[in-house]
Amino acid sequence: MGKGTGIRIVANNKKAYHDYFIEDKYEAGAALAGTEVKSLRMGKCSIKESFVRIEKGEVFIYGMHITPYEKGNIFNKDPLRVKKLLLHREEIRKIERKIAEKGFTLVPLQVYFKGSLVKVEIGVAKGKKLYDKRQDIAKKDQKREAQREFKESGKWG
């Protein structure tokens, strides 16, 4: 591949995987100002409290915090402004049909650079119940315990 096509993750939303079952993933471009892109290059972004909505056939991300660029002065935008996500019309229609079903929502999963372009990965997700979360935590604990036992048996055996 050509130069500058690497993927560099800026922000990850681990909480989304804990709170939701992710059904589908979509890659969307982000319509940002120049100072916002510069701030993202420095890794100043948080999507923990953000969510995605479709309004009038367009996709927007709310609550995505991009820290203002230090050298941006008057060109800096509001860090929590609503940002437009760029998807093909057919993808938006497909997502709308899916989230029209009961229990489905759109969540941002990660923000990353693909070459020089800022991309946001969004997921069509279904909320987990409390017992589902408990099952996930139990599985994680079992895995951690098995790894611990394996390490101990390797050192002393």
Side-chain angles (χ1 to χ4, degrees):
M1 279 201 239
K3 187 180 168 193
T5 57
I7 291 177
R8 187 172 68 90
I9 294 174
V10 178
N12 213 337
N13 190 357
K14 291 179 185 168
K15 192 175 175 215
Y17 290 99
H18 182 263
D19 292 343
Y20 301 97
F21 293 113
I22 309 299
E23 300 283 321
D24 284 327
K25 293 180 183 178
Y26 294 91
E27 181 181 75
L32 300 172
T35 53
E36 289 174 319
V37 176
K38 287 180 181 181
S39 192
L40 282 174
R41 286 199 190 284
M42 296 167 67
K44 309 272 177 127
C45 178
S46 171
I47 56 171
K48 280 189 179 78
E49 301 297 318
S50 59
F51 59 96
V52 180
R53 278 207 183 129
I54 298 178
E55 295 167 0
K56 297 177 188 164
E58 295 183 316
V59 185
F60 296 94
I61 185 166
Y62 292 80
M64 176 174 154
H65 187 278
I66 298 177
T67 308
Y69 184 58
E70 290 118 37
K71 300 179 179 91
N73 57 44
I74 61 165
F75 299 107
N76 277 332
K77 303 282 188 216
D78 174 30
L80 285 172
R81 79 179 178 92
V82 178
K83 293 150 189 84
K84 186 175 178 181
L85 296 180
L86 309 169
L87 284 158
H88 290 283
R89 194 170 287 127
E90 194 49 48
E91 284 180 312
I92 295 172
R93 284 196 198 111
K94 193 188 291 184
I95 293 169
E96 278 181 316
R97 283 193 296 272
K98 193 73 176 171
I99 62 173
E101 294 176 33
K102 191 176 186 302
F104 282 100
T105 187
L106 276 175
V107 291
L109 301 174
Q110 62 184 7
V111 178
Y112 56 94
F113 279 98
K114 190 173 184 181
S116 61
L117 303 173
V118 177
K119 299 289 184 178
V120 179
E121 186 178 54
I122 59 174
V124 176
K126 192 174 184 92
K128 284 185 182 178
K129 303 281 188 267
L130 185 60
Y131 58 84
D132 291 326
K133 292 180 191 177
R134 285 192 192 126
Q135 283 177 333
D136 283 355
I137 292 168
K139 283 179 191 170
K140 212 178 280 180
D141 286 345
Q142 284 176 337
K143 199 181 223 179
R144 198 178 300 123
E145 193 63 39
Q147 283 180 333
R148 190 178 296 133
E149 286 175 20
F150 180 73
K151 282 181 182 176
E152 286 175 3
S153 67
K155 286 180 183 174
W156 307 111

